[in-house]
Amino acid sequence: MSSREVPALLQRHGVQPTAQRTEIALAIFGNAGHQSADEVYETVNSGAIRVSRATIYNTLKLFVDRGMIRPVIVAPGKVFYDPNMAPHYHLYDTDTGELTDIGADQIEIHGLPTLPPGKQLDGVDVVVRLRSGADSKRGAD
Amino acid sequence: MSSREVPALLQRHGVQPTAQRTEIALAIFGNAGHQSADEVYETVNSGAIRVSRATIYNTLKLFVDRGMIRPVIVAPGKVFYDPNMAPHYHLYDTDTGELTDIGADQIEIHGLPTLPPGKQLDGVDVVVRLRSGADSKRGAD
DNA sequence: GTGCTTGCAAATGCTTTGCACAAAA
DNA sequence: TTTTGTGCAAAGCATTTGCAAGCAC
C-alpha cells in the first residue's frame, strides 16, 4: 500500500484523511507484521512528521471501530494491531514476543457451541502459544 | 473443594499452605466460575481474614507458575483466572464481561501449523467472542 | 465560524516492587 | 535463627481523558 492509496482507504471507511492518520495507516498497512501501539508510535515518529501518543491511541481505536484493523491481545497489556481482517489465527512466541499469522486454512474449527439466545458471534480468537527451550520452564508437575 | 482439602492441594504443588493462600485457593476452586484478580480480592476479603492486593497478585502468579490455575486474557487489562486446567476453550460476552467454559469436545481444532524448530507448544487459547443486541454495535460499514 | 483533530499533561486502572514486620521451619 | 510470606505504599506501564490551540470545510 502506497501513501497515495491510503487517503482513499480512510475515506472508504468514513475516516477523514489527515496527515497523522495517513502516517499511522501507512505504518500499519505499509509495513508487514503486527505492531503494538508503541511500535506504531515509534514507526510513525521515525519519519518526518510528529504524532503524539494520544493521537496514536485515538486513531488506533478509530480504525478498530471502523473495521479497518483488529486488536490481538496476547498478554495483559500486550496488544497488537492486525491489518489483516480476513479470518485467520495467531502464533505467539512467549519468549520473543513475536506474533505470526496462521492462515484460516491451517486450523480448522468445527462445531462451535450453540450461542445463548439474543447473542451473536463477534469473532473467534485463536492464539497458539509457543515457548522456546525444551525445558526452559516448568517446575511442578 | 472444601477448606480441608485445599492445604493438601497446595502442598501437592509445592506451595506452603498459609492462611492467605488457603483462602485464595478456596475462593478460586470453591466458587464456580472464573474470577479476575480483583474479584478474588473481594471474595477473599468478604470473609473473615484480610488479604492485601499485593498478596493476591503474588499468590495468583505463584499458582499460575505452579500449574494450578491458568490466566485467560479476554481484553487488555482483563484477566480471569481459570481453575480448570483441562483442555477447554472460552466464550466471552463482550457486553456483560461474562466468561464461560466451552468443553474441549465442543470445538475441534484440526491441523495445527508446523512449529518452528526449537519451539514447543505452550497451549492453544480459543476465545469465542459474543455481543448481545442484534444491532447494538457498529456504525460504519 | 463551526466542527473535527491534535497534543500536552494529568488521570486512570491494573499490576509489580521495595522494604520492614510477622510467621514458619 | 534463618528462611519464607505478608502488607503497605510507592512505582510502573499502557491507555484514556480534559481542555486549549490548530485545521478543514
Side-chain angles (χ1 to χ4, degrees), chain A residues 105-134:
Chain A
D105 52 314
Q106 287 186 67
I107 292 186
E108 297 173 49
I109 297 187
H110 297 130
L112 280 180
T114 318
L115 305 184
K119 305 284 179 182
Q120 63 183 100
L121 192 62
D122 199 34
V124 180
D125 291 357
V126 177
V127 177
V128 178
R129 239 161 259 280
L130 298 183
R131 56 191 164 95
S132 283

Side-chain angles (χ1 to χ4, degrees), chain B residues 69-93:
Chain B
I69 60 179
R70 66 152 144 167
V72 182
I73 305 151
V74 292
K78 265 218 159 348
V79 183
F80 289 98
Y81 292 90
D82 191 340
N84 182 357
M85 293 299 285
H88 70 284
Y89 311 119
H90 294 102
L91 203 58
Y92 178 63
D93 190 316

